[in-house]
Amino acid sequence: MTDTANPNFPAFTDLDALADEAKRLGKSKLRGVLTAAWRVQSCLGDLRQVGDTLNALRKIATKPEESDAEALATERELLTTAILLYARATSTSGQTGERGSIQLDREKLTEAEWSDHCAVIDVRNQALAHVYNSRPIADHEWHSSRFFAIEIRPGVWKVASGSHQTTFFPNTFVCLERATPVANRELEAKLQRRMAAVSAMVNSDVPANRLRRHLFDPVQVFGSEQAVQAIIDGQDQLQSALWV
């Protein structure tokens, strides 16, 4: 085995493959440490998508003259997607085998930050994932309906019903804009700690010959030399997670 799988770059080794090998041999707890770091990294990926979705939604929401049916549908879907991704990263529970979320620690948030977080989660739980009729969420009813009768001629009534469903609520959008950077801050701090634990284990407990058994060509995995260089540059800047 050569010192690197690609002579143009430093050695890259597959820690997942190493952890699986170590688990089979019963010689390391690396798999558990890696999984803990992956869970935070994956949730941060959700929050990154929330940011991208909010940017797209902001461009649409600032053009009221284009509020036709298609634009309104796009607003609704973008806001729904952003809320669901935020909740998936910071609040929802996971069954066995699922990733789950990294729930925020109330004691580390200000009252205003916690209020924003709870407002977004309430919308997810009571207006998007489930439907509660005529139940106010932060003083706003997302779903309401009314049955009524119209007297079409003396003594004859026609029964009808009407319903209201919010598709875009500006206050929720603003809450989500404030809550997302806070969640990013908290999860980034957790990821730094968990990546430090992985680094400590790799550098102290894993022999070099085992690390070199799992070398791979980063260009094949990440698609281009530019992508690999971006990863290397990101590590130089102490970034703990990158999305390529």
Side-chain angles (χ1 to χ4, degrees):
M1 177 72 70
T2 60
D3 287 340
T4 176
N6 188 316
N8 296 323
F9 295 104
F12 279 61
T13 194
D14 187 338
L15 292 182
D16 284 303
L18 175 66
D20 289 341
E21 176 192 60
K23 185 177 180 180
R24 288 194 302 271
L25 298 174
K27 294 182 178 180
S28 173
K29 298 179 180 179
L30 182 59
R31 169 48 62 203
V33 178
L34 273 182
T35 298
W38 163 77
R39 185 171 290 113
V40 187
Q41 188 266 353
S42 181
C43 289
L44 277 168
D46 283 352
L47 292 177
R48 186 182 183 90
Q49 291 184 66
V50 172
D52 292 341
T53 304
L54 290 177
N55 288 337
L57 181 55
R58 191 180 301 108
K59 293 178 181 178
I60 296 174
T62 55
K63 298 179 180 178
E65 69 279 4
E66 298 180 10
S67 296
D68 56 16
E70 184 175 330
L72 291 173
T74 303
E75 280 186 0
R76 179 183 65 245
E77 298 309 319
L78 286 174
L79 184 61
T80 298
T81 296
I83 291 171
L84 295 180
L85 283 168
Y86 178 88
R88 189 172 75 175
T90 64
S91 179
T92 55
S93 58
Q95 303 299 319
T96 301
E98 296 179 354
R99 183 201 69 189
S101 65
I102 302 297
Q103 301 198 12
L104 302 185
D105 186 346
R106 182 174 184 174
E107 295 182 357
K108 294 183 179 180
L109 273 61
T110 66
E111 286 298 321
E113 290 171 345
W114 183 252
S115 178
D116 282 340
H117 171 73
C118 290
V120 175
I121 299 304
D122 283 347
V123 170
R124 182 267 178 192
N125 291 341
Q126 300 182 40
L128 299 182
H130 307 280
V131 174
Y132 290 87
N133 187 44
S134 300
R135 175 183 291 189
I137 305 172
D139 299 324
H140 178 75
E141 288 185 358
W142 282 72
H143 302 277
S144 63
S145 62
R146 183 182 296 271
F147 282 82
F148 52 92
I150 305 170
E151 189 175 22
I152 56 176
R153 58 181 183 271
V156 179
W157 296 79
K158 182 178 179 61
V159 175
S161 67
S163 63
H164 167 267
Q165 177 177 315
T166 297
T167 58
F168 178 82
F169 187 46
N171 288 1
T172 298
F173 175 69
V174 171
C175 275
L176 192 54
E177 281 199 308
R178 291 194 300 253
T180 302
V182 174
N184 264 305
R185 179 193 73 204
E186 295 301 307
L187 267 63
E188 279 283 1
K190 288 180 182 290
L191 183 60
Q192 292 287 351
R193 293 193 294 270
R194 294 189 184 186
M195 292 294 276
V198 174
S199 181
M201 183 170 289
V202 167
N203 285 288
S204 63
D205 297 348
V206 182
N209 65 323
R210 285 178 56 201
L211 283 165
R212 296 195 177 281
R213 280 207 294 267
H214 302 284
L215 298 182
F216 65 90
D217 182 350
V219 175
Q220 291 183 359
V221 173
F222 300 113
S224 69
E225 292 190 354
Q226 291 80 4
V228 176
Q229 191 59 53
I231 291 172
I232 295 171
D233 293 342
Q235 293 300 305
D236 289 343
Q237 298 165 15
L238 300 180
Q239 295 182 22
S240 55
L242 301 103
W243 291 264
V244 180

